[in-house]
Amino acid sequence: EPEVTQTPSHQVTQMGQEVILRCVPISNHLYFYWYRQILGQKVEFLVSFYNNEISEKSEIFDDQFSVERPDGSNFTLKIRSTKLEDSAMYFCASSPQAGYGYTFGSGTRLTVV
Amino acid sequence: ELKVEQNPLFLSMQEGKNYTIYCNYSTTSDRLYWYRQDPGKSLESLFVLLSNGAVKQEGRLMASLDTKARLSTLHITAAVHDLSATYFCAVRIGDAGNMLTFGGGTRLMVKP
């Protein structure tokens, strides 16, 4: 069964450093997403991406965040200057249609120290 | 702003018992999802409910949707230990984009 692949599974970074989280969506999916989950809390939407541009973003997705699909297969989330409160599990997801058929990746646990 | 509320937040039950998890949402939606999450793991899709009165069943889990009441339920029949996990409902606002708004989750523990 097709999977959404995320790397790394765990990333530890110092406050103020830049991090890039990587995702390989399912190959025939057209819509891509990032969500995050702070430990023990609910899953929160960050951003959706379609046709090489952001289609929606939440208030969490401020100027410190950016997304890119650099090569037609990878989908990345960059945090420019990490803060302690960015520590969370970040999930990538993709879907073949808008708002339907989501598949979530296994997540990247980001720890900011 | 769409709000999605689940209750209970925590549920401890004995094997063999039945119970229902509730998911209320505050505005019109055209799709409601139920996910399962094991500790430290990803979100596993259980059900997607698309219309009023929709009912779906898989094993010991049954989900239903009442769009008029803005309520979905996840019913557990004769619980077994393997069902221990956190269950999330998530709602998409119709025609308002692709984002899902998640409930706070229900942590289910099934005791032998």
Side-chain angles (χ1 to χ4, degrees):
Chain A
E1 189 169 331
E3 290 183 341
V4 174
T5 305
Q6 290 187 242
T7 55
S9 56
H10 191 192
Q11 172 107 33
V12 180
T13 189
Q14 292 206 323
M15 193 168 53
Q17 295 296 305
E18 175 184 286
V19 293
I20 298 176
L21 309 182
R22 300 180 193 280
C23 169
V24 179
I26 293 173
S27 61
N28 63 347
H29 284 188
L30 302 176
Y31 297 83
F32 314 114
Y33 315 87
W34 285 100
Y35 287 79
R36 81 171 185 189
Q37 184 181 31
I38 294 171
L39 186 63
Q41 298 187 24
K42 67 177 181 180
V43 179
E44 299 174 293
F45 171 78
L46 293 178
V47 65
S48 63
F49 192 85
Y50 170 71
N51 201 25
N52 284 319
E53 60 183 25
I54 290 173
S55 48
E56 292 173 280
K57 60 181 181 178
S58 71
E59 292 178 354
I60 302 168
F61 194 88
D62 62 20
D63 291 345
Q64 293 299 311
F65 292 86
S66 62
V67 289
E68 203 175 33
R69 188 155 160 81
D71 56 13
S73 62
N74 290 285
F75 180 51
T76 61
L77 174 70
K78 182 193 289 186
I79 309 174
R80 287 191 185 81
S81 178
T82 50
K83 305 173 203 160
L84 294 176
E85 54 264 38
D86 292 327
S87 295
M89 182 75 96
Y90 288 81
F91 292 107
C92 174
S94 67
S95 68
Q97 305 171 29
Y100 189 74
Y102 297 89
T103 300
F104 282 84
S106 55
T108 293
R109 179 168 298 284
L110 176 65
T111 304
V112 182
V113 296
Chain B
E1 179 190 344
L2 173 62
K3 292 185 179 176
V4 182
E5 295 184 347
Q6 283 181 242
N7 69 82
L9 297 181
F10 180 74
L11 176 56
S12 178
M13 56 193 295
Q14 296 284 341
E15 278 193 330
K17 298 292 187 183
N18 304 332
Y19 209 83
T20 301
I21 299 170
Y22 297 88
C23 174
N24 288 92
Y25 53 98
S26 61
T27 191
T28 304
S29 169
D30 67 344
R31 279 160 210 180
L32 189 137
Y33 297 81
W34 283 97
Y35 289 93
R36 169 182 171 143
Q37 186 181 40
D38 291 296
K41 303 292 185 182
S42 186
L43 296 158
E44 176 190 352
S45 178
L46 296 174
F47 303 107
V48 54
L49 303 167
L50 301 178
S51 59
N52 188 42
V55 177
K56 291 196 174 178
Q57 182 161 6
E58 180 75 33
R60 300 175 188 273
L61 300 177
M62 183 174 71
S64 66
L65 179 62
D66 181 343
T67 57
K68 292 178 183 174
R70 296 178 186 163
L71 170 69
S72 179
T73 60
L74 181 67
H75 187 73
I76 303 153
T77 301
V80 293
H81 180 67
D82 285 352
L83 289 178
S84 297
T86 299
Y87 293 85
F88 291 95
C89 64
V91 173
R92 174 193 182 247
I93 302 175
D95 295 329
N98 307 320
M99 62 177 281
L100 296 180
T101 301
F102 281 77
T106 296
R107 187 175 167 207
L108 173 65
M109 287 184 58
V110 182
K111 300 178 181 177

